[in-house]
Amino acid sequence: MANLYGDVELDARGMRALAHPVRLAILTRLQSDGPSTATRLSESVGASPSVTSWHLRQLAVHGLVRDASDAQARRDHGRERWWEAVSRGFRFAGEPEDDSLEAARALEQVMESVDGDIVGRWRAEDEPRLEPPWRRRAGRANTRIVVTPAELDQVEEAIERLLAPYVLRKDDPSDTHPAEARWVRVLRYTLPAADPEAPGGPTS
């Protein structure tokens, strides 16, 4: 599938490297708040500046962050290194195999742990303060479809093509956004049913 969002594409090794709460917190903070230093990040990610710096270097090895500081100024004046996220997101690259599927699951578990109850926080903190037009558009959908693996790929690509202009808009200066635009989180799970004849199913 085309990478329309410009995400960093991770192999199994890269997913395992990111499957750590502190590293995921660092990357999330850099993606949302922009460039920062290990010292500035340390308090918000729950690690010391030296540990945060080590995790930043590991993220750089896998192409998720990069040095955003002036190297000459750092050498001349001892300034701390600044880091920035390479992109707004990441995804798995290549055809899934047992090794990569296990790595992806490990990363998903860490992401779910770090994210916590996203919907619960939204209901408690944001929903009560929403204006009526926004509240009417909030909600959830639970839609079951009958598709082949290839058709599901087509659905995923169509959704990504639809969302791409609004995902990429995040990188534009905020004063160029439409007047009524605001952040909206779109949560979507793709949950294929297991084959009832597979081991562990109802007939086993």
Side-chain angles (χ1 to χ4, degrees):
M1 189 170 72
N3 184 353
L4 301 179
Y5 301 161
D7 293 338
V8 172
E9 298 189 351
L10 296 174
D11 57 14
R13 186 166 167 266
M15 285 188 287
R16 284 201 177 86
L18 186 56
H20 187 290
V22 172
R23 290 182 193 173
L24 191 59
I26 289 171
L27 182 61
T28 300
R29 184 68 64 178
L30 291 175
Q31 288 173 334
S32 62
D33 298 346
S36 190
T37 67
T39 299
R40 291 167 181 259
L41 288 165
S42 62
E43 185 175 349
S44 62
V45 303
S48 68
S50 61
V51 170
T52 301
S53 179
W54 183 79
H55 282 303
L56 280 161
R57 292 195 297 274
Q58 298 308 305
L59 290 170
V61 168
H62 296 280
L64 288 159
V65 305
R66 61 191 169 203
D67 192 330
S69 56
D70 185 321
Q72 185 63 47
R74 198 169 67 243
R75 286 194 297 269
D76 293 345
H77 306 292
R79 293 178 182 172
E80 190 173 5
R81 175 178 289 185
W82 284 74
W83 298 88
E84 65 182 358
V86 171
S87 72
R88 291 285 186 177
F90 55 86
R91 65 179 65 196
F92 170 67
E95 290 298 321
E97 300 173 354
D98 288 344
D99 185 51
S100 59
L101 289 175
E102 290 177 8
R105 185 61 188 134
L107 177 53
E108 287 171 358
Q109 289 176 336
V110 173
M111 292 173 66
E112 289 170 3
S113 173
V114 170
D115 287 342
D117 185 3
I118 294 175
V119 176
R121 288 200 307 272
W122 173 81
R123 290 204 181 280
E125 300 171 7
D126 290 282
E127 185 181 27
R129 299 185 290 117
L130 285 178
E131 304 90 326
W134 285 104
R135 183 171 292 192
R136 284 197 300 271
R137 289 165 173 82
R140 54 172 292 190
N142 186 347
T143 306
R144 298 180 71 187
I145 58 177
V146 180
V147 291
T148 67
E151 289 169 338
L152 185 55
D153 287 344
Q154 293 172 0
V155 171
E156 293 283 345
E157 185 161 358
I159 291 172
E160 186 160 313
R161 288 189 183 282
L162 179 64
L163 293 179
Y166 311 111
V167 171
L168 300 177
R169 179 185 281 170
K170 295 183 295 187
D171 296 326
D172 297 335
S174 58
D175 59 5
T176 66
H177 296 172
E180 296 182 351
R182 66 175 63 174
W183 288 97
V184 175
R185 185 189 294 271
V186 179
L187 296 175
R188 184 170 57 87
Y189 291 85
T190 302
L191 308 173
D195 183 343
E197 302 297 326
T203 61
S204 62

Coordinates of all heavy atoms in Angstrom, one line a residue, residues 142-195:
N142 N -19.5 0.8 14.3 CA -19.1 -0.6 14.4 C -19.7 -1.3 13.2 O -20.9 -1.7 13.2 CB -19.7 -1.2 15.7 CG -19.2 -2.6 16.0 OD1 -18.7 -3.3 15.1 ND2 -19.5 -3.1 17.2
T143 N -18.9 -1.4 12.2 CA -19.4 -1.8 10.9 C -18.8 -3.1 10.5 O -17.5 -3.2 10.4 CB -19.1 -0.8 9.8 OG1 -19.6 0.5 10.2 CG2 -19.7 -1.2 8.4
R144 N -19.6 -4.2 10.2 CA -19.0 -5.4 9.8 C -19.1 -5.5 8.2 O -20.2 -5.2 7.7 CB -19.8 -6.6 10.4 CG -19.7 -6.6 11.9 CD -20.4 -7.8 12.5 NE -19.7 -9.1 12.2 CZ -20.3 -10.3 12.5 NH1 -21.5 -10.3 13.0 NH2 -19.6 -11.4 12.2
I145 N -18.1 -5.9 7.6 CA -18.1 -6.1 6.1 C -17.6 -7.5 5.8 O -16.9 -8.1 6.6 CB -17.2 -5.0 5.5 CG1 -15.7 -5.1 6.0 CG2 -17.8 -3.6 5.7 CD1 -14.8 -4.1 5.3
V146 N -17.9 -7.9 4.6 CA -17.5 -9.3 4.1 C -16.5 -9.0 2.9 O -17.0 -8.5 1.9 CB -18.7 -10.1 3.6 CG1 -18.2 -11.5 3.1 CG2 -19.7 -10.3 4.8
V147 N -15.3 -9.3 3.1 CA -14.2 -9.0 2.1 C -13.2 -10.1 2.1 O -13.1 -10.9 3.0 CB -13.5 -7.6 2.5 CG1 -14.5 -6.5 2.3 CG2 -12.9 -7.7 3.9
T148 N -12.4 -10.1 1.0 CA -11.2 -10.9 0.9 C -10.1 -10.1 1.4 O -10.2 -8.9 1.6 CB -11.0 -11.3 -0.6 OG1 -10.6 -10.1 -1.3 CG2 -12.2 -11.9 -1.2
P149 N -8.9 -10.8 1.7 CA -7.7 -10.0 2.1 C -7.4 -8.9 1.1 O -7.0 -7.8 1.5 CB -6.6 -11.1 2.2 CG -7.4 -12.3 2.5 CD -8.6 -12.2 1.7
A150 N -7.4 -9.2 -0.2 CA -7.1 -8.1 -1.2 C -8.1 -7.0 -1.2 O -7.7 -5.8 -1.3 CB -7.1 -8.8 -2.6
E151 N -9.4 -7.3 -1.0 CA -10.4 -6.2 -0.9 C -10.2 -5.4 0.4 O -10.4 -4.2 0.3 CB -11.8 -6.9 -0.9 CG -12.2 -7.4 -2.3 CD -13.4 -8.3 -2.2 OE1 -13.8 -8.8 -1.1 OE2 -14.1 -8.4 -3.3
L152 N -9.8 -6.0 1.5 CA -9.5 -5.3 2.7 C -8.4 -4.3 2.5 O -8.4 -3.2 3.0 CB -9.2 -6.2 3.8 CG -9.1 -5.6 5.2 CD1 -10.3 -4.7 5.6 CD2 -8.8 -6.6 6.3
D153 N -7.3 -4.8 1.7 CA -6.2 -3.9 1.4 C -6.8 -2.6 0.6 O -6.3 -1.5 0.8 CB -5.2 -4.6 0.5 CG -4.4 -5.6 1.4 OD1 -4.4 -5.5 2.6 OD2 -3.7 -6.4 0.7
Q154 N -7.7 -2.9 -0.3 CA -8.3 -1.8 -1.1 C -9.0 -0.8 -0.2 O -9.0 0.4 -0.4 CB -9.2 -2.3 -2.2 CG -8.4 -3.1 -3.2 CD -9.4 -3.8 -4.2 OE1 -10.6 -3.7 -4.1 NE2 -8.8 -4.5 -5.2
V155 N -9.8 -1.3 0.8 CA -10.5 -0.5 1.7 C -9.5 0.4 2.5 O -9.7 1.6 2.7 CB -11.4 -1.4 2.7 CG1 -11.9 -0.5 3.8 CG2 -12.5 -2.0 1.9
E156 N -8.5 -0.3 3.0 CA -7.5 0.5 3.8 C -6.8 1.6 3.0 O -6.7 2.7 3.5 CB -6.4 -0.5 4.3 CG -6.8 -1.5 5.3 CD -7.0 -1.0 6.7 OE1 -6.5 0.1 6.9 OE2 -7.7 -1.6 7.5
E157 N -6.5 1.3 1.7 CA -5.9 2.3 0.9 C -6.8 3.4 0.6 O -6.4 4.6 0.5 CB -5.3 1.7 -0.4 CG -4.6 2.7 -1.2 CD -3.7 2.0 -2.3 OE1 -3.6 0.8 -2.3 OE2 -3.0 2.7 -3.0
A158 N -8.1 3.1 0.3 CA -9.1 4.1 0.1 C -9.3 5.1 1.3 O -9.4 6.3 1.1 CB -10.4 3.5 -0.3
I159 N -9.3 4.5 2.5 CA -9.4 5.3 3.7 C -8.2 6.3 3.8 O -8.3 7.4 4.1 CB -9.6 4.4 4.9 CG1 -10.9 3.8 4.9 CG2 -9.4 5.3 6.2 CD1 -11.1 2.7 6.0
E160 N -7.0 5.7 3.6 CA -5.8 6.5 3.7 C -5.8 7.6 2.7 O -5.4 8.7 3.0 CB -4.6 5.6 3.5 CG -3.3 6.4 3.8 CD -2.1 5.4 4.2 OE1 -2.3 4.5 5.0 OE2 -1.0 5.6 3.6
R161 N -6.2 7.3 1.5 CA -6.2 8.4 0.4 C -7.2 9.5 0.8 O -7.0 10.7 0.6 CB -6.6 7.8 -0.9 CG -5.5 7.0 -1.6 CD -5.9 6.6 -3.0 NE -4.8 5.7 -3.5 CZ -3.7 6.1 -4.0 NH1 -3.4 7.4 -4.0 NH2 -2.8 5.3 -4.5
L162 N -8.3 9.1 1.4 CA -9.3 10.1 1.9 C -8.8 11.0 3.0 O -9.0 12.2 3.0 CB -10.6 9.4 2.3 CG -11.7 10.3 2.8 CD1 -12.3 11.2 1.7 CD2 -12.8 9.4 3.4
L163 N -8.0 10.4 3.9 CA -7.5 11.1 5.1 C -6.2 11.9 4.8 O -5.9 12.8 5.5 CB -7.3 10.2 6.2 CG -8.5 9.5 6.9 CD1 -8.1 8.5 8.0 CD2 -9.5 10.5 7.4
A164 N -5.5 11.5 3.8 CA -4.1 12.0 3.6 C -4.1 13.5 3.6 O -3.2 14.1 4.2 CB -3.5 11.4 2.3
P165 N -5.0 14.2 2.8 CA -4.9 15.7 2.8 C -5.0 16.3 4.2 O -4.4 17.4 4.5 CB -6.0 16.1 1.9 CG -6.3 14.9 1.1 CD -6.1 13.8 2.0
Y166 N -5.8 15.7 5.1 CA -6.0 16.3 6.4 C -4.9 15.9 7.4 O -4.6 16.6 8.3 CB -7.4 15.8 6.9 CG -8.5 16.0 5.9 CD1 -9.1 15.0 5.3 CD2 -8.9 17.3 5.5 CE1 -10.1 15.2 4.3 CE2 -9.8 17.5 4.5 CZ -10.4 16.4 3.9 OH -11.3 16.6 2.9
V167 N -4.3 14.7 7.1 CA -3.2 14.3 7.9 C -2.0 15.2 7.6 O -1.3 15.7 8.5 CB -2.8 12.8 7.6 CG1 -1.5 12.5 8.3 CG2 -3.9 11.9 8.1
L168 N -1.7 15.5 6.3 CA -0.6 16.3 5.9 C -0.8 17.8 6.3 O 0.2 18.5 6.4 CB -0.4 16.1 4.4 CG 0.0 14.7 4.0 CD1 0.1 14.6 2.5 CD2 1.2 14.2 4.7
R169 N -2.0 18.2 6.4 CA -2.3 19.6 6.8 C -1.7 19.9 8.2 O -1.4 21.1 8.4 CB -3.8 19.8 6.9 CG -4.3 21.2 7.3 CD -5.8 21.3 7.4 NE -6.4 21.4 6.1 CZ -7.8 21.3 6.0 NH1 -8.5 21.1 7.0 NH2 -8.3 21.5 4.8
K170 N -1.4 18.9 9.0 CA -0.8 19.1 10.3 C 0.5 19.8 10.2 O 0.9 20.5 11.1 CB -0.7 17.8 11.1 CG -2.0 17.2 11.4 CD -1.8 15.9 12.3 CE -1.1 14.8 11.5 NZ -1.0 13.5 12.2
D171 N 1.2 19.6 9.1 CA 2.5 20.2 8.9 C 2.5 21.6 8.4 O 3.5 22.3 8.3 CB 3.4 19.3 8.0 CG 3.6 17.9 8.5 OD1 3.8 17.8 9.8 OD2 3.7 17.0 7.8
D172 N 1.3 22.1 8.0 CA 1.2 23.5 7.5 C 1.1 24.4 8.7 O 0.6 24.1 9.8 CB -0.1 23.6 6.6 CG 0.0 22.7 5.4 OD1 1.1 22.4 4.9 OD2 -1.1 22.4 4.9
P173 N 1.5 25.7 8.5 CA 1.4 26.7 9.6 C -0.1 26.8 10.0 O -1.0 26.7 9.2 CB 1.8 28.0 8.9 CG 2.7 27.5 7.8 CD 2.1 26.3 7.3
S174 N -0.3 26.9 11.3 CA -1.7 26.8 11.8 C -2.5 28.0 11.3 O -3.8 27.9 11.2 CB -1.7 26.9 13.4 OG -1.0 28.0 13.8
D175 N -1.9 29.1 10.9 CA -2.7 30.3 10.4 C -3.2 30.1 9.0 O -3.9 30.9 8.4 CB -1.9 31.6 10.5 CG -0.6 31.5 9.7 OD1 -0.3 30.5 9.0 OD2 0.2 32.5 9.8
T176 N -2.8 28.9 8.4 CA -3.3 28.6 7.0 C -4.4 27.6 7.1 O -5.0 27.3 6.1 CB -2.2 28.0 6.1 OG1 -1.8 26.7 6.7 CG2 -1.0 28.9 6.1
H177 N -4.7 27.1 8.3 CA -5.8 26.1 8.4 C -7.2 26.9 8.3 O -7.3 28.0 8.6 CB -5.8 25.5 9.8 CG -4.6 24.6 10.0 ND1 -4.2 24.0 11.2 CD2 -3.6 24.2 9.1 CE1 -3.1 23.3 11.1 NE2 -2.7 23.5 9.8
P178 N -8.2 26.2 7.8 CA -9.5 26.8 7.8 C -9.9 27.3 9.2 O -9.6 26.7 10.2 CB -10.4 25.6 7.3 CG -9.5 24.7 6.5 CD -8.2 24.8 7.2
A179 N -10.7 28.3 9.2 CA -11.0 29.0 10.5 C -11.7 28.0 11.5 O -11.4 28.2 12.7 CB -12.0 30.2 10.2
E180 N -12.5 27.1 11.0 CA -13.2 26.2 12.0 C -12.5 24.9 12.2 O -13.0 24.1 12.9 CB -14.6 26.0 11.4 CG -15.5 27.2 11.4 CD -16.9 26.9 10.9 OE1 -17.2 25.8 10.4 OE2 -17.8 27.8 10.9
A181 N -11.3 24.8 11.7 CA -10.6 23.5 11.8 C -10.1 23.3 13.2 O -9.6 24.3 13.8 CB -9.5 23.4 10.8
R182 N -10.1 22.1 13.7 CA -9.5 21.8 15.0 C -9.0 20.3 14.9 O -9.3 19.6 14.0 CB -10.4 22.0 16.1 CG -11.6 21.0 16.1 CD -12.5 21.2 17.4 NE -13.0 22.5 17.5 CZ -13.9 22.9 18.4 NH1 -14.3 22.0 19.3 NH2 -14.4 24.1 18.5
W183 N -8.2 19.9 15.9 CA -7.8 18.5 16.0 C -8.9 17.5 16.2 O -9.8 17.8 17.0 CB -6.8 18.3 17.2 CG -5.4 19.0 16.9 CD1 -5.0 20.2 17.4 CD2 -4.3 18.4 16.2 NE1 -3.8 20.5 17.0 CE2 -3.3 19.4 16.3 CE3 -4.1 17.2 15.5 CZ2 -2.1 19.2 15.7 CZ3 -2.9 17.0 14.9 CH2 -1.9 18.0 15.0
V184 N -8.9 16.5 15.4 CA -9.9 15.4 15.6 C -9.1 14.1 15.6 O -8.3 13.8 14.7 CB -10.9 15.4 14.5 CG1 -11.9 14.2 14.6 CG2 -11.7 16.7 14.5
R185 N -9.3 13.2 16.6 CA -8.7 11.9 16.6 C -9.6 10.9 16.0 O -10.8 10.8 16.4 CB -8.3 11.5 18.0 CG -7.5 10.2 18.1 CD -7.4 9.7 19.5 NE -6.6 10.6 20.3 CZ -5.2 10.5 20.5 NH1 -4.6 9.6 19.8 NH2 -4.6 11.4 21.2
V186 N -9.2 10.2 15.0 CA -9.9 9.1 14.4 C -9.4 7.8 14.8 O -8.3 7.4 14.4 CB -9.9 9.2 12.8 CG1 -10.7 8.1 12.2 CG2 -10.4 10.6 12.4
L187 N -10.1 7.0 15.6 CA -9.7 5.7 16.1 C -10.4 4.7 15.2 O -11.6 4.7 15.1 CB -10.1 5.5 17.5 CG -9.4 6.4 18.6 CD1 -10.0 6.2 20.0 CD2 -7.9 6.2 18.6
R188 N -9.6 3.7 14.7 CA -10.2 2.7 13.8 C -9.5 1.4 14.1 O -8.2 1.3 14.0 CB -10.0 3.1 12.4 CG -10.7 2.2 11.4 CD -10.7 2.8 10.0 NE -9.4 3.2 9.6 CZ -8.6 2.4 8.9 NH1 -9.0 1.2 8.6 NH2 -7.4 2.8 8.5
Y189 N -10.2 0.3 14.4 CA -9.7 -1.0 14.5 C -10.1 -1.9 13.4 O -11.3 -1.8 12.9 CB -10.2 -1.6 15.8 CG -9.6 -1.0 17.1 CD1 -10.3 0.1 17.7 CD2 -8.5 -1.5 17.7 CE1 -9.8 0.7 18.8 CE2 -8.0 -0.9 18.9 CZ -8.7 0.2 19.4 OH -8.2 0.8 20.6
T190 N -9.2 -2.7 12.9 CA -9.5 -3.6 11.8 C -9.4 -5.0 12.5 O -8.3 -5.4 12.8 CB -8.6 -3.5 10.6 OG1 -8.7 -2.2 10.1 CG2 -9.0 -4.5 9.5
L191 N -10.5 -5.7 12.7 CA -10.6 -6.9 13.5 C -11.2 -8.1 12.7 O -12.4 -8.4 12.8 CB -11.4 -6.7 14.7 CG -11.0 -5.5 15.6 CD1 -12.0 -5.3 16.7 CD2 -9.6 -5.6 16.1
P192 N -10.4 -8.8 11.8 CA -10.9 -9.9 11.1 C -11.3 -11.0 12.0 O -10.7 -11.3 13.0 CB -9.7 -10.3 10.2 CG -8.8 -9.2 10.2 CD -8.9 -8.5 11.5
A193 N -12.4 -11.7 11.7 CA -12.9 -12.9 12.4 C -12.0 -14.0 12.1 O -11.5 -14.2 11.0 CB -14.3 -13.2 12.1
A194 N -11.8 -14.9 13.1 CA -11.0 -16.1 12.9 C -11.8 -17.2 12.1 O -13.1 -17.2 12.2 CB -10.5 -16.7 14.2
D195 N -11.2 -18.0 11.4 CA -11.8 -19.1 10.7 C -12.4 -20.1 11.7 O -11.6 -20.6 12.6 CB -10.8 -19.8 9.8 CG -11.4 -21.0 9.0 OD1 -12.5 -21.4 9.3 OD2 -10.7 -21.4 8.0

